[in-house]
Amino acid sequence: MAGISLARAELIALFLESMLFGAFTVLYAIAIWILLYREKIRGRMRLNRMLFGTSTVMWVLSIAHLAVDVVRAVQGFVVWGGRQANGAEAFYDRVSDPTEVAKDVIYITMTLVADSFVSYRLFVVWNRTWWILVLPTLLLIATAIAGYGACAEVGLTKAGDAIFASNLQPWIESFFALSLTTNLLATVLITARIMWLNRRLRKYRAKGAPAGSHWEVIETMIQSAAIYSAALASLLGTYLADSNAQYICLDLIQPLIGIVFTLIIIRVGLGYTVNGSTSGGGTLSDRAGPGHLPPVSGNAYPLQPVAINVSVNRTYDRASLEGYDSKPASSTDMESGKVPHE
């Protein structure tokens, strides 16, 4: 096979995965600070717990994936490489090795966790409408079947067969394509829903008022989907080209999923202004689930000014006023309504 060797691809993948995992760890710590401290005073913790649990599961799966890669590097370059020439190449060529199967299972699980939360986000944005989950759920089930089916086929692969074997290609290609379709579909539906809600609320805005934060939310969603989709498309392209570079793309996607997820939390949680205030108003929970209308007191959709006309009618008793005028000014207290005794 022309191109980069298998052992070199695995070594480069381990180096790049370690760097991205370090970045993911820093972003994960910042996201946890936002969820547990900055948003605690908001009084809405249900969605925060969901974000906390999902990001924590992703971090645990990423460190498990990296640990397996380190174990495989020691086995390949130290144990096998010290026994025979091209020992590392021979070790990594054993597709059915238990560590390879475990690594693939972790990656499949990581992908399903990310796709599941994307579907949940779609459910929240569409005001918890159940029918909107029908197609994403079917795609998610198909992705799980294709992914874990590929892991089973990898475990049953005979010695000497590469990852590009004909019995593995349908499973792996289906998994990549289904995962990519799920993310693109959810992103399009979320964007469409936010734009539709903004169009409905446009008539309630005052003239000259800012358009709100919906474009910032859409931009965040599109950017996160674009990063993951580009990485997944690169993985699918290198696999279809029978290139060992697909191992590099595969190991990079594992921490990249967590990076994209935590970046959304950080960007929405910290806001878009330099002074730390949240542009457009609202909390992290409100923005993560824009299916609900923002509160009236928020700044996202200020109410139009209302003119109030007040009419005042006065009635004067001329006879009483003339009687008061005939008395000394000091004998009558008009303001208090008290009349001194004569």
Side-chain angles (χ1 to χ4, degrees):
M1 182 181 302
I4 188 172
S5 65
L6 180 57
R8 179 173 297 180
E10 291 283 359
L11 189 59
I12 295 174
L14 177 61
F15 171 73
L16 296 178
E17 182 185 4
S18 301
M19 295 183 62
L20 288 184
F21 176 76
F24 178 31
T25 300
V26 174
L27 295 176
Y28 169 73
I30 298 175
I32 294 303
W33 174 77
I34 292 175
L35 295 175
L36 295 184
Y37 294 96
R38 183 161 182 157
E39 291 295 320
K40 188 175 183 179
I41 61 175
R42 303 295 186 181
R44 297 179 58 184
M45 292 295 294
R46 188 175 70 174
L47 183 59
N48 288 356
R49 292 195 186 99
M50 176 70 72
L51 294 172
F52 171 77
T54 304
S55 57
T56 301
V57 169
M58 287 183 175
W59 187 81
V60 171
L61 290 174
S62 294
I63 196 172
H65 191 274
L66 180 60
V68 173
D69 277 340
V70 171
V71 171
R72 287 175 55 80
V74 172
Q75 288 288 327
F77 291 99
V78 178
V79 179
W80 283 64
R83 294 177 181 174
Q84 56 183 356
N86 296 327
E89 195 79 19
F91 171 77
Y92 283 114
D93 198 43
R94 298 169 66 246
V95 179
S96 59
D97 188 85
T99 56
E100 176 65 28
V101 178
K103 173 182 172 180
D104 294 338
V105 170
I106 294 173
Y107 167 70
I108 300 299
T109 305
M110 180 78 160
T111 302
L112 293 176
V113 169
D115 291 350
S116 298
F117 190 84
V118 168
S119 301
Y120 173 78
R121 184 189 301 156
L122 174 66
F123 173 66
V124 172
V125 169
W126 279 80
N127 204 17
R128 302 181 183 275
T129 305
W130 289 101
W131 60 264
I132 199 65
L133 288 179
V134 174
L135 185 55
T137 301
L138 294 177
L139 289 173
L140 190 63
I141 294 174
T143 303
I145 294 174
Y148 291 120
C151 294
E153 287 291 332
V154 168
L156 298 176
T157 301
K158 299 179 181 179
D161 290 341
I163 195 68
F164 308 103
S166 58
N167 62 317
L168 296 178
Q169 286 185 355
W171 294 96
I172 297 176
E173 293 172 2
S174 299
F175 171 78
F176 292 154
L178 288 169
S179 180
L180 182 60
T181 302
T182 302
N183 280 270
L184 293 178
L185 175 65
T187 302
V188 170
L189 291 177
I190 290 173
T191 303
R193 176 67 175 181
I194 296 175
M195 295 181 65
W196 180 75
L197 287 174
N198 180 73
R199 184 179 296 273
R200 287 186 58 191
L201 295 172
R202 185 176 299 171
K203 61 181 180 180
Y204 296 108
R205 297 197 191 102
K207 294 182 179 180
S213 61
H214 72 285
W215 286 115
E216 297 169 351
V217 176
I218 292 174
E219 180 185 0
T220 302
M221 297 294 180
I222 293 177
Q223 287 178 355
S224 61
I227 294 173
Y228 178 71
S229 299
L232 197 58
S234 301
L235 175 58
L236 180 60
T238 52
Y239 181 79
L240 293 176
D242 293 344
S243 172
N244 286 327
Q246 66 96 18
Y247 289 100
I248 301 176
C249 298
L250 181 64
D251 288 349
L252 289 183
I253 287 182
Q254 182 75 24
L256 186 63
I257 294 175
I259 289 176
V260 170
F261 183 82
T262 51
L263 277 177
I264 295 177
I265 299 176
I266 294 172
R267 185 171 184 182
V268 176
L270 294 181
Y272 299 83
T273 57
V274 178
N275 59 6
S277 61
T278 307
S279 70
T283 64
L284 176 61
S285 300
D286 294 331
R287 292 191 173 193
H292 302 285
L293 299 181
V296 177
S297 60
N299 298 323
Y301 302 103
L303 297 179
Q304 298 179 0
V306 178
I308 301 177
N309 297 323
V310 179
S311 299
V312 179
N313 296 324
R314 293 185 176 90
T315 302
Y316 299 95
D317 190 346
R318 299 297 302 174
S320 299
L321 291 176
E322 289 175 358
Y324 280 115
D325 291 339
S326 63
K327 297 180 180 182
S330 59
S331 64
T332 303
D333 189 354
M334 294 293 293
E335 295 296 330
S336 62
K338 295 179 182 180
V339 178
H341 298 285
E342 295 179 355

